[in-house]
Structures are given as C-alpha cells and as structure tokens.
Amino acid sequence: MNANLLQTPIDYLKGVGPNRAELLRKELGIHTYQDLINFFPNRYIDKTRFYKINELQQNTAEVQVVGKIINIKTVDQKRGSRMVAEFIDDSGKMELVWFRGQKWIRENIKINTPYVIFGKTNWFNGMFNMPHPEMELLEEHQKNLRTAMQPVYPSTEKLTKAGITNRVINKLMQQLFIETGGRFYDTLSKDIKEELKLISRAEAMFNIHFPKSQELLARAQFRLKFEELFYIQLQLLIKNMIHKQKIKGFVFEQVGENFGEFYQEHLPFELTGAQKRVVKEIRSDLGSGAQMNRLLQGDVGSGKTIVALMSMLIALDNGFQACLMAPTEILSVQHYNGLVELCKELKTSIYLLTGSSKTSKRREIHEKLENGEINILIGTHALLEDKVKFKNLGLAIIDEQHRFGVAQRSKLWQKNHLPPHILVMTATPIPRTLAMSLYGDLDVSVIDELPPGRQEIKTVHRYDSNRLKVFKFIRDEIQKGRQIYIVYPLIQESATMDYKDLMDGYESIAREFPMPEYQISIVHGQMKPTDKEFEMQRFVKGETQIMVATTVIEVGVNVPNASVMIIESAERFGLSQLHQLRGRVGRGAEQSYCILMTSHKLSSDAKTRLETMVSTSDGFEIAEVDLKLRGPGDLMGTQQSGVLNLKIADIVQDNQILKSARFYAKKLLAEDPEMKLPENKMIGYTFEQLGVHKNIWNYIS
Ligand code: ADP
Ligand code: MG
C-alpha cells in the first residue's frame, strides 16, 4: 500500500471532524492514519467463550455465563436496598446484584429461563457475585451470534466525556481499514517471516484490531511484538556499528611499564577468571582504534576496582591521563585511598578532587592536570566542572553509573578533542533483557565470579517485636570483636520525617549500648562532608563498634571487620538497595549477617522482596525479581523510562521474543549491513521511515 496514504492527517478520516481530531491528537497522540493503525487495544472481551460457575477465578476480568435465575429478593441496606438474584448453572450457584434500576429488573427479568449474563465478578461471602450484569435471553443470544472478540482501547476521561467511546474508536478503525483497503506493506523479509512462521503485516494489523479467533490474535500479537523489538534492536546495533566506525578513539598500543610492573610484581592477589577475562576485553577495546564505550557489571564485592586500575594503567603506559568518577564523597575518598595503596610502588601521581577540596588544592590540581603532572584524577561530580581541564584524558571511568545521567557522561566526552575511552561500572546488575534494550549500543562485560574464600552472608527477616533478641545478638557479635551497621531509610520526599526516625533510632541504640563500653558513629546526608568523613574514619579505624546511618553508606564503603548489617524498616527499601546494603558486610574472613527488620504490616510486594533477599544472594537473580515487581520504567528511573514506552511488547514478559529479535537483527547486519539486497529492501525502507518519523524513540546520546 502507498505509504504516503498512511501519513494522511487524521482529520481526513470519515467520522473525524475538527473537534475529534483535536482530541485524538491531544489525548492519544494520534496525528495520522498511521498513528491510528498503531493504536492497539489493551485488552479484549472474549464473548466467544462461556464459563461454568465453578470455573470462575477470583481475578477473572469479564466473563460470560449461561444459567438461570431461581429467585430474586430485595435486601435492605444502610442506604436504600439492593436486589439479589440466585443464579445457577449445572456446576454451581452465584449471585447477581443490582443497586439501581430495581423496578425495571423486577418487571422484566424472567425466572427459571436460560440467560446469558456478562460482566465482572466479585468474591463475597464465600460466593461469586456479578453486579449489574449485561443480560440477554439465551434464545435471543443464539439468534444474533457474535463470533468476534471485542477490542477495548485505552481511553481517557476527556475522551469519554466528549463521547469518543470505545465504540467510536472501533468505528473509526473500521473506517480506516475501508479507506486504506487494509493492505499494509510488509516490513519484514520473507526469510524471517518463514523461519518464524509469522503472519503478514496486513493480517496482523487486521487481527490485532478485529481478531477472528484467539489463535489469530495470538499470532498477530506475536508478529507485532517481534516487529517492534526487531526495529529497536536494529537501531541499537546500527548505532553501535556506526559508533565503532566513525568515532575514532585513541589507540593504546602498548602495554608498558606501569601495567607490566603492576601485573608482575604488585598484584595483591590472583585475579579471578572473570577479572582476567574482563581485563582482556578492555585491553582489546583500547587497542582497536575505535572509542571504547563499555559497561562493566559486577556484583558488590566482585572486584571491579582492580580492573579499573589496570585499565587506567594502560592509558598511562600510552602517555595519557585517566580519571575515575564516583557518586559520593565517601566513595571517592575510599577509591583514592585504595588506589594510592595499590600504586605505592609505582611512579604514578594520583590526586583527589571533590566538592570539599580547598581552593588552594584545586588550583594546584587544575594546573598539574593541564601540564600533565597528574596521571590519575579521582573524584566526584567536581570532575565535570569546566575549570577541570586535562592535558590528554585517555580514559574516563564512572563508578556506579546509574547515579549519573547520560548528559553527564557526554560532558566527560567534551573534555578532549577526541572523546576519551569510557568505562562505566555498576554494581546494580541490570537484568539481561533490560541491558539488551537499554544498552544495546554499549558493549557489556560481566564479572560473574566472586573472589575465592567469600562466605555466604546469612540473611534473616525479623519483626520489630523481636528487637530484644536482635540487640542481644549485636552485643554478642561486638563481644567477638565485630562491628555493626544499623541503617535507616531515607527517602527524599519525606527527608525530615526520616531524619527523625534516624535520630530516634540513634537515641534508642545509644541507650541500649551506652558509653563508654560502646562507641557509636552516626552518618547521614545532612551532615557536612568533613563531619561525615570524621565519623566514617572512626568506624573504619575500629574506634566505634556501631555505625548508625542512612543509605549514604549504601555505595562502596569497605570495612572488612563489619560483619552485621541491620536494616530498619526494611519493607521500605527496594530490592536493589537492600542488596547493595547487604554488600557492605561479608568483606572479611568472618561469618557475616544481614538482619531485615520490619513491622508486621507488609504488602505482598514487600513480602516478596524480603523472601528474595533471604533466599538468594545472586545479584542477577535479585535484579530479575525487581524487574518483575517494579516494571522496567520504574527500575531505571524516569530519565530512561521513555525507552521502554513500547506499544505492544513488554520486555519482561516478551523476553524470548526480544532475544529472537536481537538474533535476527544481528544476522541481518552481518549478511547485509546496508540492507540493499532485494529481500531486505523493505526493512531498509522501514528503518529509514522510523528515522524520519521518529516513531521509535531516539534516546541514548
Ligand atoms: P566492587 O566490585 O564492589 O567494587 P572491590 O573492587 O571493592 O569490589 O573489591 C572488593 C574486595 O575484594 C576488595 O577488598 C578487594 O581487594 C578484594 N578483591 C578483589 N579482587 C580479588 C581477588 N581476585 N582475590 C581476592 N580478593 C579480591
Ligand atoms: Mg566498588
């Protein structure tokens, strides 16, 4: 079909006047015929199926049942009355309920006569009931046989008020199929369609709006989901390809003095197999001539820091500078101390720059950075300031990437005439499906192995009512020389209230663990960085046994002697946060514990989160559960949720289709990257159209 016809403004469709057109544009984003065609129902009412009463499920949305009323009575209630009918079939009994229109019901409803009823059911008093059912005599029903499933389109209040009901949308859709003849050109190659047994696009479009059967609906959905995911993958892969071809990077040819000496003589431990593999991947990127854009995923404690250091040493060996950016002051300081220690035998100059660096120090850093005296700069967002200019930045590493936005990433790029190589490290494992959709254009390395000798952290869930036992446990552990974290939630919107929780908690802990026998540190977001650092250091040095804190300690803090993590109001934390917090312990040789404290009131999601934490410590498994509970948009934050604004596919539920779409997109690009072969022409054309009309989001910078 003529593609231009589909670009016709929606105003021209018969049945759409200027008012309706305006509403369709504003409320549903429908500007053209094409947009309307791509406006998919979000559910279907299946009037092809009849349920028996004993088959009803508590969650069944809308159902159709055949049976008869055996009696009707009026029941008085607080305000007015309701009418209740007993309705039976050969499998059981349910009730029909009316709150309005009782006179009409009484005068028109026939007792002991077969009816088809349709509506939503509720479970009440040990029985199903259906309020205000649609009813039709079975005899009538059989005369006007309805075979089709009825689509239900998403709607808005404004649309409903303006009379654009589901029926109207249905009519418009029919009109659209009439005007266009329903002949939509195909957008996938014959090969793909044959291998996956896909129905044609025209057939899929027809059946998504007017399903002829359950089976055809399923096939239509499959085909359209595949298509949507296929084009997203194609975009991501092409972006990656162009990136590799066009964006030249510094070539780090040699592995020299720094790397060599460190690797031969100063490695504090043997690298795990996973660390070795990842270092190799990075080395090969750095030598390839293209700019590296790599995501390094590795669970808390998997040993990303040493990989970061070795990558930076390669940059140094080739005459370049490197920087490492972390999201918090505490973490930057810790990285700085750790790396200085690791490099103490090397001739590298490492500096720290954070928001609280003194002016004189800043000046020194700015100067030495520009004349190349500094090899490695570590710090917070302060690194992004315009004044910070490198002589020749070759590699930028970003730790805990989910806290930095894309804009900040690209700011690092602008610090050079050529973009530096970029490595982003995250300890929040991103489920594979999500990584494929969001970061399909990044290369991904995974450290999926923990250093040897780590003990599993014992995780338990305790109710607040058991607090005394928990206190006793803390006392025993301190007796053994261990240190304890106690963490309170801090959620931005209610910062003052949470702050109070923290202070109340601190006071009760201080009462329970009095000085001078016990020493307690406290760290929270409203403290000055220097005070925070002071308190942290007391804990690091072992001067205090208990650290009371908010989630500011979530990221990176490393105190191997701390072996107990107590999380207060654990039901208020998300899974990835719980996992991060737990990762603060289990860093030394001792058996470590994580205790999740909650009240008795728990939502079912909260229960799932707690059960997940107790049953597994595998970050990827936890991430998958998190994705299922929260949905992708929420998981990645609003910033990136636009990416997941899919029309029909769901990257969690359709992850098999996603994998297959990625496979075929890769295959196509390997065989015919320009999409010029006759059989792939349609794909190339469609891809171009997507670019022009921006139907698929254009999100990663
Ligand atoms: P993360 O991936 O969370 O940043 P770190 O790099 O901080 O992990 O490493 C956690 C701890 O494990 C550190 O104390 C580090 O020295 C240690 N470590 C890292 N790799 C190894 C290894 N291969 N063998 C033994 N210990 C290691
Ligand atoms: Mg780390």
Side-chain angles (χ1 to χ4, degrees):
M1 106 151 285
N2 183 350
N4 289 332
L5 179 54
L6 284 177
Q7 295 313 321
T8 311
I10 197 66
D11 313 57
Y12 292 87
L13 189 69
K14 195 171 159 231
V16 181
N19 290 342
R20 281 186 172 177
E22 194 55 28
L23 275 165
L24 289 175
R25 275 191 289 268
K26 273 213 178 117
E27 295 293 300
L28 301 173
I30 295 174
H31 297 258
T32 62
Y33 282 24
Q34 170 96 52
D35 294 336
L36 183 60
I37 249 324
N38 286 331
F39 181 59
F40 300 134
N42 53 6
R43 64 195 175 91
Y44 300 83
I45 294 171
D46 184 358
K47 288 204 172 175
T48 62
R49 158 131 208 228
F50 293 94
Y51 287 81
K52 291 281 179 199
I53 290 173
N54 69 359
E55 288 173 333
L56 295 178
Q57 300 284 328
Q58 289 200 38
N59 58 2
T60 308
E62 272 154 295
V63 291
Q64 194 169 231
V65 184
V66 183
K68 51 193 180 187
I69 291 174
I70 51 175
N71 74 63
I72 292 191
K73 61 178 187 244
T74 306
V75 181
D76 286 330
Q77 54 185 42
K78 255 191 198 150
R79 239 170 285 152
S81 62
R82 64 176 192 270
M83 212 147 109
V84 179
E86 267 183 273
F87 185 82
I88 60 162
D89 67 5
D90 55 18
S91 79
K93 182 166 88 175
M94 63 189 285
E95 288 179 343
L96 311 182
V97 187
W98 293 268
F99 302 94
R100 304 176 300 273
Q102 299 178 6
K103 181 160 175 281
W104 190 90
I105 300 290
R106 199 181 287 284
E107 284 166 8
N108 290 280
I109 289 289
K110 299 194 169 90
I111 305 279
N112 285 324
T113 314
Y115 272 100
V116 176
I117 62 164
F118 178 82
K120 281 191 183 151
T121 58
N122 298 312
W123 177 254
F124 184 69
N125 269 349
M127 195 189 293
F128 280 101
N129 70 55
M130 188 182 285
H132 292 267
E134 275 179 35
M135 298 187 68
E136 193 174 24
L137 286 168
L138 180 61
E139 207 184 327
E140 293 291 320
H141 184 89
Q142 281 161 342
K143 273 187 217 152
N144 25 356
L145 247 189
R146 262 156 300 197
T147 52
M149 278 177 286
Q150 296 170 8
V152 181
Y153 291 91
S155 186
T156 68
E157 203 172 318
K158 273 203 184 135
L159 286 177
T160 320
K161 272 199 186 137
I164 306 187
T165 58
N166 199 51
R167 272 237 323 246
V168 171
I169 297 279
N170 242 295
K171 277 256 170 61
L172 295 179
M173 205 62 84
Q174 279 178 31
Q175 183 59 31
L176 184 81
F177 274 81
I178 292 168
E179 287 189 23
T180 58
R183 292 183 306 272
F184 304 109
Y185 69 83
D186 216 297
T187 49
L188 294 172
S189 67
K190 213 167 136 250
D191 279 359
I192 293 180
K193 280 193 300 183
E194 275 173 8
E195 280 181 49
L196 291 171
K197 302 200 172 58
L198 299 176
I199 57 177
S200 73
R201 185 157 205 271
E203 212 182 343
M205 278 304 183
F206 184 84
N207 279 285
I208 204 82
H209 294 293
F210 310 103
K212 286 190 209 147
S213 68
Q214 289 274 8
E215 195 208 331
L216 274 166
L217 173 61
R219 297 189 67 180
Q221 285 176 336
F222 184 84
R223 146 91 213 208
L224 294 171
K225 285 174 178 182
F226 178 87
E227 177 172 335
E228 182 169 42
L229 294 169
F230 175 81
Y231 279 99
I232 293 171
Q233 288 302 320
L234 204 56
Q235 271 198 332
L236 288 168
L237 292 167
I238 287 177
K239 208 163 168 166
N240 184 307
M241 220 162 71
I242 291 173
H243 190 110
K244 290 215 164 113
Q245 285 161 2
K246 293 256 172 72
I247 307 194
K248 295 271 175 290
F250 304 116
V251 187
F252 294 174
E253 274 166 340
Q254 17 187 348
V255 168
E257 223 183 311
N258 289 298
F259 185 93
E261 188 187 326
F262 181 78
Y263 193 75
Q264 305 296 334
E265 294 168 34
H266 309 306
L267 260 189
F269 36 68
E270 180 163 3
L271 296 182
T272 62
Q275 284 170 321
K276 282 185 196 155
R277 170 168 43 76
V278 169
V279 169
K280 216 185 243 171
E281 285 165 358
I282 293 170
R283 259 172 76 169
S284 124
D285 277 4
L286 295 177
S288 75
Q291 187 241 359
M292 173 170 82
N293 212 1
R294 188 171 278 278
L295 179 70
L296 171 57
Q297 294 194 55
D299 222 333
V300 182
S302 62
K304 294 183 292 297
T305 314
I306 195 111
V307 172
L309 172 62
M310 292 171 73
S311 313
M312 292 196 285
L313 293 179
I314 299 177
L316 268 48
D317 280 341
N318 289 272
F320 287 91
Q321 295 166 302
C323 71
L324 170 58
M325 192 163 79
T328 64
E329 175 116 15
I330 293 177
L331 189 51
S332 306
V333 171
Q334 200 166 289
H335 270 316
Y336 174 75
N337 293 335
L339 293 186
V340 165
E341 172 67 23
L342 283 168
C343 293
K344 63 178 186 272
E345 309 286 339
L346 300 177
K347 292 180 283 297
T348 43
S349 104
I350 305 180
Y351 276 72
L352 174 71
L353 177 68
T354 70
S356 53
S357 301
K358 297 244 163 54
T359 316
S360 57
K361 189 75 184 171
R362 267 168 204 266
R363 230 176 266 135
E364 183 196 338
I365 290 177
H366 293 161
E367 208 182 292
K368 290 191 170 167
L369 211 50
E370 279 193 82
N371 68 27
E373 279 177 64
I374 294 178
N375 300 130
I376 294 177
L377 183 63
I378 295 168
T380 54
H381 289 75
L383 262 57
L384 296 172
E385 285 165 16
D386 290 334
K387 280 196 195 130
V388 179
K389 295 197 187 78
F390 292 81
K391 180 172 177 229
N392 55 1
L393 179 63
L395 169 66
I397 301 185
I398 306 174
D399 198 9
E400 306 299 346
Q401 89 100 30
H402 60 294
R403 305 202 168 199
F404 292 103
V406 169
Q408 289 168 322
R409 238 203 282 170
S410 65
K411 202 148 184 213
L412 270 172
W413 276 46
Q414 293 152 13
K415 290 203 172 282
N416 264 352
H417 58 288
L418 263 191
H421 295 292
I422 304 247
L423 180 68
V424 287
M425 308 198 292
T426 173
T428 308
I430 300 163
R432 280 193 56 72
T433 44
L434 205 53
M436 266 196 269
S437 332
L438 286 178
Y439 301 110
D441 70 331
L442 292 184
D443 295 304
V444 179
S445 290
V446 181
I447 304 186
D448 49 8
E449 182 186 349
L450 291 182
R454 290 277 163 81
Q455 292 197 26
E456 184 94 345
I457 299 163
K458 287 200 177 132
T459 303
V460 294
H461 169 206
R462 292 285 177 266
Y463 291 107
D464 291 338
S465 45
N466 275 328
R467 190 169 295 281
L468 287 182
K469 277 195 190 147
V470 174
F471 284 154
K472 167 144 186 0
F473 178 74
I474 296 178
R475 232 171 259 125
D476 291 348
E477 286 296 301
I478 292 177
Q479 187 72 40
K480 288 190 220 156
R482 303 288 101 74
Q483 288 169 285
I484 319 287
Y485 291 106
I486 304 178
V487 176
Y488 290 83
L490 185 71
I491 301 164
Q492 235 125 37
E493 300 95 69
S494 57
T496 42
M497 199 189 92
D498 291 325
Y499 180 69
K500 188 173 170 300
D501 283 358
L502 176 78
M503 289 330 255
D504 288 352
Y506 173 74
E507 276 167 26
S508 78
I509 296 293
R511 265 197 308 278
E512 201 65 38
F513 298 91
M515 294 208 283
E517 192 183 353
Y518 298 98
Q519 299 288 332
I520 304 174
S521 286
I522 180 164
V523 170
H524 58 81
Q526 298 179 6
M527 284 163 77
K528 277 200 231 121
T530 46
D531 295 344
K532 242 192 271 181
E533 180 54 22
F534 176 77
E535 287 288 307
M536 272 306 301
Q537 283 309 325
R538 291 207 309 147
F539 190 67
V540 171
K541 288 185 203 138
E543 292 168 12
T544 57
Q545 299 99 335
I546 300 176
M547 159 71 78
V548 174
T550 58
T551 47
V552 289
I553 63 140
E554 179 186 334
V555 175
V557 175
N558 191 14
V559 181
N561 191 49
S563 64
V564 181
M565 167 62 66
I566 294 174
I567 304 175
E568 293 283 350
S569 305
E571 70 269 36
R572 289 174 63 189
F573 289 87
L575 258 179
S576 74
Q577 249 185 335
L578 291 173
H579 180 61
Q580 286 279 329
L581 286 169
R582 178 167 60 183
R584 297 305 110 218
V585 297
R587 305 193 147 223
E590 307 305 328
Q591 174 62 55
S592 291
Y593 303 88
C594 175
I595 303 176
L596 307 167
M597 304 291 301
T598 74
S599 67
H600 279 276
K601 261 198 214 146
L602 295 175
S603 68
S604 81
D605 277 8
K607 273 186 203 146
T608 308
R609 289 197 295 271
L610 295 163
E611 281 160 16
T612 306
M613 285 297 293
V614 169
S615 67
T616 180
S617 57
D618 179 334
F620 281 91
E621 206 178 316
I622 289 172
E624 292 287 348
V625 176
D626 206 20
L627 179 59
K628 285 195 186 114
L629 285 179
R630 294 206 283 162
D634 216 22
L635 197 59
M636 302 313 294
T638 45
Q639 188 191 11
Q640 280 147 328
S641 62
V643 182
L644 302 153
N645 193 6
L646 301 175
K647 275 194 167 24
I648 184 161
D650 173 328
I651 62 165
V652 179
Q653 265 148 44
D654 300 323
N655 97 59
Q656 289 304 326
I657 306 179
L658 173 64
K659 279 181 195 153
S660 140
R662 186 170 176 83
F663 171 83
Y664 281 99
K666 269 191 177 162
K667 185 160 172 261
L668 170 72
L669 291 178
E671 290 165 3
D672 181 18
E674 310 236 323
M675 297 179 270
K676 286 273 157 55
L677 296 176
E679 61 266 35
N680 295 329
K681 270 226 164 93
M682 264 347 272
I683 297 182
Y685 174 76
T686 308
F687 185 76
E688 248 169 58
Q689 293 295 306
L690 291 178
V692 175
H693 299 293
K694 298 247 184 299
N695 265 345
I696 291 192
W697 31 134
N698 207 336
Y699 53 96
I700 293 181
S701 77

